[in-house]
């Protein structure tokens, strides 16, 4: 690939220099830690572009969820070479690798026109809620006794519930996230109705995924996971419109920081309907 005066070669992202990838995401203001890149690399495939002294100038990744669905993320071109076709080059490569799968991604403003031109359609707005967690955050009007800590042997039930909400099997992702995460859930009549995970990410802690049948359960689980984070930075990305859940997050110190748009190609986004399993917080923007 030739961009301006830069001759860039491409390589499998698995072989790319981790520090170079980290520097690339920092160059566009993203909060990812080196370990976040390691996690994404262990979960997906992709491409990196680098110059003749090994500096990484572009990245793009995709994540398989079962045979027919994939999510795309970590699409970055260094500000030094943006608007010269690099983003499109990387995306076209990724789309070829994804083949006939249905695709989902979360688009920044900068990437919106690119994805539209590649056949993606807007499905929803994602609100990135984040901030310093207020001491004593809780869900005072709800019965927190329903919340329990889930153990590794609950993973098959978590995966099944997640599939019902997400519309595809994220067992690879969830199996990898589980040992890194604190996991809580709500069981009623012996059935797991809701689960939520929390793990270190970026500037502090991320809560996600949150899968529940209602905003009230999403609040209960998030309150439980925020409970001991008072004074510390946390983030939760949700597609829920203004309402009880977002009001709760704001009252806990997680303000609306930015938005991205969920776009899909090949199939619509699974809707969140009260009474049915729905995604109340993303696992991570690249993971849907
Ligand atoms: C989004 C991003 C990857 C695009 O990379 P890029 O190398 O600049 O992309 P390209 O040069 O291939 O441009 C792709 C399309 O974007 C649009 N575009 C590019 N530069 C633009 C500009 N300055 N103004 C308006 N549209 C522009 C055009 O539609 C272009 O299509 P074209 O090929 O028909 O000209 C890059 O801006 C970036 O890394 N941004 C920060 C991180 C980010 O937001 N990543 C996306 C995550 S979803």
């Amino acid at each position: 690939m030739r961009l301006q005066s830069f001759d860039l070669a491409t390589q499998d992202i698995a072989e790319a220099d981790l520090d170079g990838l980290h520097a690339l995401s920092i160059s566009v203001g993203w909060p990812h830690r080196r370990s976040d890149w390691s996690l994404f690399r262990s979960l997906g495939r992709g491409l990196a572009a680098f110059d003749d002294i090994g500096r990484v100038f572009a990245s793009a990744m995709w994540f398989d969820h079962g045979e027919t669905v994939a999510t795309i993320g970590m699409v970055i071109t260094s500000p030094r070479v943006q608007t010269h076709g690099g983003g499109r080059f990387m995306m076209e490569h990724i789309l070829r690798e994804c083949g006939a799968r249905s695709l989902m991604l979360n688009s920044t403003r900068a990437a919106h026109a690119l994805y539209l031109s590649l056949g993606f359609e807007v499905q929803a707005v994602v609100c990135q809620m984040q901030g310093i967690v207020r001491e004593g955050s809780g869900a005072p009007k709800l019965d927190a006794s329903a919340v329990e800590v889930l153990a590794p042997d609950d993973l098959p039930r978590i995966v099944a519930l997640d599939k019902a909400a997400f519309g595809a099997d994220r067992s690879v992702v969830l199996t990898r996230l589980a040992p890194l995460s604190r996991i809580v859930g709500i069981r009623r009549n012996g059935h797991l109705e809701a689960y939520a995970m929390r793990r270190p990410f970026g500037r502090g802690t991320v809560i996600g995924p949150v899968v529940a049948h209602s905003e009230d359960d999403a609040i209960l689980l998030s309150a439980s996971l925020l409970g001991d984070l008072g004074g510390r930075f946390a983030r939760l990305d949700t597609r829920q419109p203004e309402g009880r859940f977002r009001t709760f997050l704001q009252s806990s110190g997680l303000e609306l920081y930015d938005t991205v748009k969920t776009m899909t190609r090949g199939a619509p986004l699974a809707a969140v309907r009260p009474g049915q399993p729905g995604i109340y917080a993303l696992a991570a923007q690249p993971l849907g």
Side-chain angles (χ1 to χ4, degrees):
M1 170 164 59
R2 179 140 227 241
L3 298 179
Q4 285 173 297
S5 56
F6 289 90
D7 273 317
L8 301 181
T10 57
Q11 67 183 153
D12 187 332
I13 203 159
E15 279 142 32
D17 174 40
L18 191 56
D19 290 324
L21 291 169
H22 188 210
L24 178 68
S25 56
I26 289 172
S27 77
V28 293
W30 287 9
H32 299 67
R33 308 170 189 193
R34 211 172 172 278
S35 55
D36 299 325
W37 266 107
S38 289
L39 174 65
F40 288 134
R41 281 212 303 193
S42 73
L43 289 170
R45 285 172 262 180
L47 190 71
F50 59 101
D51 70 1
D52 54 7
I53 56 167
R55 293 174 301 182
V56 181
F57 278 79
S59 65
M61 295 196 71
W62 65 283
F63 305 86
D64 225 346
H65 308 293
E67 305 272 293
T68 56
V69 176
T71 53
I72 293 175
M74 306 313 285
V75 178
I76 306 173
T77 305
S78 163
R80 297 166 68 181
V81 294
Q82 282 174 9
T83 76
H84 288 85
R88 181 175 298 282
F89 177 94
M90 302 295 281
M91 275 303 293
E92 284 173 350
H93 175 95
I94 294 294
L95 292 178
R96 278 194 299 278
E97 286 198 342
C98 289
R101 291 172 176 82
S102 300
L103 301 172
M104 182 201 294
L105 53 76
N106 291 297
S107 171
T108 58
R109 272 171 218 90
H112 187 70
L114 172 62
Y115 298 146
L116 274 181
S117 76
L118 294 170
F120 286 83
E121 292 172 7
V122 175
Q123 300 286 325
V125 173
V126 178
C127 293
Q128 181 178 335
M129 312 290 293
Q130 66 181 45
I132 303 298
V133 180
R134 282 210 184 104
E135 298 285 353
S137 294
K141 291 190 185 124
L142 298 171
D143 177 14
S145 66
V147 177
E148 60 179 286
V149 174
L150 299 183
D153 58 2
D154 283 309
L155 197 55
R157 283 170 285 282
I158 292 170
V159 166
L161 176 62
D162 188 85
K163 186 174 179 185
F166 185 73
D169 182 343
R170 291 200 291 183
S171 53
V172 172
V173 169
L174 297 173
T175 304
R176 182 83 180 85
L177 294 185
L180 308 174
S181 303
R182 177 174 171 81
I183 314 175
V184 291
I186 298 174
R187 230 185 287 263
R188 293 195 180 94
N189 304 320
H191 295 291
L192 187 66
E193 286 206 348
Y195 86 90
M197 294 189 179
R198 142 188 146 183
R199 66 180 190 281
F201 171 81
R203 293 175 58 193
T205 299
V206 67
I207 294 180
V210 177
V211 170
H213 279 64
S214 67
E215 287 212 326
D216 279 355
D217 281 359
I219 292 170
L220 277 173
L221 294 179
S222 307
S224 163
L225 292 177
L226 288 169
D228 61 348
L229 289 181
R232 288 156 65 189
F233 181 90
R235 166 175 172 175
L236 184 152
D237 289 16
T238 184
R239 297 189 189 97
Q240 285 304 102
E242 270 183 51
R244 288 164 56 74
F245 185 49
R246 276 179 43 196
T247 301
F248 158 74
L249 294 172
Q250 274 160 335
S251 69
S252 304
L254 275 58
E255 299 290 341
L256 178 59
Y257 172 76
D258 200 3
T259 58
V260 294
K261 286 185 177 145
T262 299
M263 302 177 81
T264 64
R265 197 176 96 161
L269 179 71
V272 176
R273 295 198 181 85
Q276 292 174 19
I279 305 279
Y280 285 81
L282 277 56
Q285 288 188 6
L287 304 175

